[in-house]
């Protein structure tokens, strides 16, 4: 089973809406946007995301209609401001009225009271919506992972076919080289050169790595990093084949194999 790191999930209630978007990343990273009164819970939000999503770049946007703040007017202070302004107007013989617009420009007249009980209730509702959004994101990750898994299986079969083609051409290549090498005066040197062009060991290891990849695909957990390691090993074996066999038909197949491995790597990099 493969799970993609790319996905989208959203959930909402009467007062809260949460949107999650994740992209592939080597590690776990977050970008969290919440209303100011919920900023104290950012660490807990990140912990929830890390626990369930494990890896990837996750963008979290939380919007709420809850306003756990009340604005109170300090009437006595406002009266003092008004009296002071009227006194200033009279002393300096200024024109104009002391209006509500003028008084409202003074921030000290207003006080913002925060209702801690409301904030706690808002967080409880937000956490429930966040968990639901995470579940929806995981569903899209699994759907995307299923598509990737199908493509990976097809490419593995392509590599198996190419490997069979190489294996079929190998005896002819070895026989042609044997005829040339047997003419060498030193038999030990001839045997050594013949052994160097034999890629049966590389083919066997290549087949083993492919079988390991198929086991991972049929497993119950997503192991993207292990797949990437196996792809590195496949590329190493393909390079060794290319270096050992100086034969045009086999070399062309090896080039196609390396291209297929690179395409596999691009897809697997998005796997959890």
């Amino acid at each position: 089973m493969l799970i993609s790191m790319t996905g989208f999930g959203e959930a909402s209630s009467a007062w809260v809406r949460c949107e999650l978007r994740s992209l592939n990343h080597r590690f776990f990273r977050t970008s969290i946007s919440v209303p100011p009164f919920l900023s104290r819970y950012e660490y807990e939000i990140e912990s929830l995301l890390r626990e369930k999503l494990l890896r990837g770049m996750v963008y979290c946007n939380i919007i709420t209609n809850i306003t756990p703040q009340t604005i109170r007017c300090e009437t006595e202070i406002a009266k003092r401001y008004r009296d002071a302004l009227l006194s200033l107007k009279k002393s300096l013989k200024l024109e104009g009225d002391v209006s509500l617009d003028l008084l409202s420009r003074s921030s000290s007249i207003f006080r913002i009271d925060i209702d801690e009980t409301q904030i706690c209730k808002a967080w409880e509702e937000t956490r429930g919506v966040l968990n639901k959004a995470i579940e929806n994101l995981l569903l899209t990750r699994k759907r995307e992972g299923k598509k990737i898994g199908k493509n990976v299986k097809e490419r593995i079969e392509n590599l198996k076919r190419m490997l069979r083609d190489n294996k079929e051409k190998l005896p002819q290549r070895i026989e042609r080289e044997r005829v040339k090498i047997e003419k060498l005066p030193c038999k030990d040197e001839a045997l050594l050169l013949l052994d160097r062009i034999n890629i049966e060991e590389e083919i066997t290891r290549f087949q083993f790595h492919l079988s390991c990849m198929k086991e991972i695909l049929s497993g119950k957990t997503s192991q993207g990093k292990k797949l990437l390691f196996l792809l590195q090993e496949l590329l190493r074996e393909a390079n060794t084949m290319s270096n050992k066999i100086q034969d045009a038909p086999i070399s062309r197949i090896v080039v196609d194999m390396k291209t297929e491995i690179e395409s596999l790597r691009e897809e697997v990099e998005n796997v959890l």
Side-chain angles (χ1 to χ4, degrees), residues 148-193:
I148 294 174
K150 183 180 178 182
N151 292 338
V152 170
K153 285 179 181 178
E154 290 176 357
R155 293 189 184 279
I156 287 175
E157 292 304 317
N158 289 341
L159 286 171
K160 283 184 174 181
R161 176 180 51 77
M162 295 175 192
L163 199 63
R164 283 196 300 270
D165 292 344
N166 261 353
K167 202 170 182 179
E168 290 171 1
K169 289 178 171 57
L170 184 59
Q172 300 172 8
R173 169 63 175 167
I174 292 177
E175 186 58 33
R176 287 198 302 270
E177 290 299 318
R178 188 193 302 277
V179 173
K180 296 178 184 178
I181 291 171
E182 284 179 349
K183 296 178 182 179
L184 295 173
C186 180
K187 294 299 180 183
D188 290 339
E189 183 183 356
L191 290 172
L192 183 62
L193 290 173

Side-chain angles (χ1 to χ4, degrees), residues 93-267:
K93 297 180 181 180
L94 299 174
E95 295 182 356
D97 298 325
V98 179
S99 63
L100 177 63
D101 178 61
L102 184 60
L103 287 174
S104 65
R105 295 176 189 176
S106 175
S107 59
S108 58
I109 291 176
F110 303 98
R111 177 176 293 178
I112 298 176
D113 293 330
I114 297 176
D115 189 339
E116 291 294 332
T117 304
Q118 280 289 91
I119 290 179
C120 290
K121 288 181 179 179
W123 166 239
E124 288 302 319
E125 184 164 353
T126 299
R127 182 163 54 186
V129 172
L130 175 61
N131 280 321
K132 183 62 178 176
I134 291 173
E135 290 176 11
N136 293 335
L137 173 60
L138 287 172
L139 287 175
T140 62
R141 276 184 161 194
K142 287 178 180 178
R143 282 198 296 267
E144 185 67 22
K146 193 173 182 180
K147 294 177 184 177
I148 294 174
K150 183 180 178 182
N151 292 338
V152 170
K153 285 179 181 178
E154 290 176 357
R155 293 189 184 279
I156 287 175
E157 292 304 317
N158 289 341
L159 286 171
K160 283 184 174 181
R161 176 180 51 77
M162 295 175 192
L163 199 63
R164 283 196 300 270
D165 292 344
N166 261 353
K167 202 170 182 179
E168 290 171 1
K169 289 178 171 57
L170 184 59
Q172 300 172 8
R173 169 63 175 167
I174 292 177
E175 186 58 33
R176 287 198 302 270
E177 290 299 318
R178 188 193 302 277
V179 173
K180 296 178 184 178
I181 291 171
E182 284 179 349
K183 296 178 182 179
L184 295 173
C186 180
K187 294 299 180 183
D188 290 339
E189 183 183 356
L191 290 172
L192 183 62
L193 290 173
L194 195 61
D195 183 63
R196 283 180 180 176
I197 65 169
N198 193 337
I199 59 170
E200 287 183 357
E201 287 185 11
E202 286 75 14
I203 289 175
T204 301
R205 287 195 293 267
F206 200 97
Q207 289 173 327
F208 174 73
H209 296 323
L210 289 178
S211 64
C212 288
M213 290 183 69
K214 291 201 74 173
E215 285 180 13
I216 291 173
L217 291 177
S218 59
K220 294 183 179 180
T221 58
S222 184
Q223 301 183 57
K225 288 185 176 181
K226 192 170 183 179
L227 284 173
L228 282 173
F229 171 76
L230 288 170
L231 286 172
Q232 289 176 358
E233 294 302 307
L234 287 176
L235 188 59
R236 191 198 312 276
E237 301 301 340
N239 284 329
T240 305
M241 291 181 207
S242 180
N243 293 333
K244 289 178 75 171
I245 291 289
Q246 302 299 320
D247 181 78
I250 293 179
S251 294
R252 278 196 294 269
I253 295 173
V254 172
V255 169
D256 291 339
M257 290 169 68
K258 290 159 92 171
T259 303
E260 198 74 10
I261 292 169
E262 181 62 25
S263 298
L264 264 171
R265 186 187 63 79
E266 290 176 1
E267 292 203 73

Side-chain angles (χ1 to χ4, degrees), residues 27-39:
F27 308 106
F28 178 81
R29 295 287 184 271
T30 57
S31 175
I32 299 171
S33 174
V34 295
F37 67 87
L38 287 177
S39 60

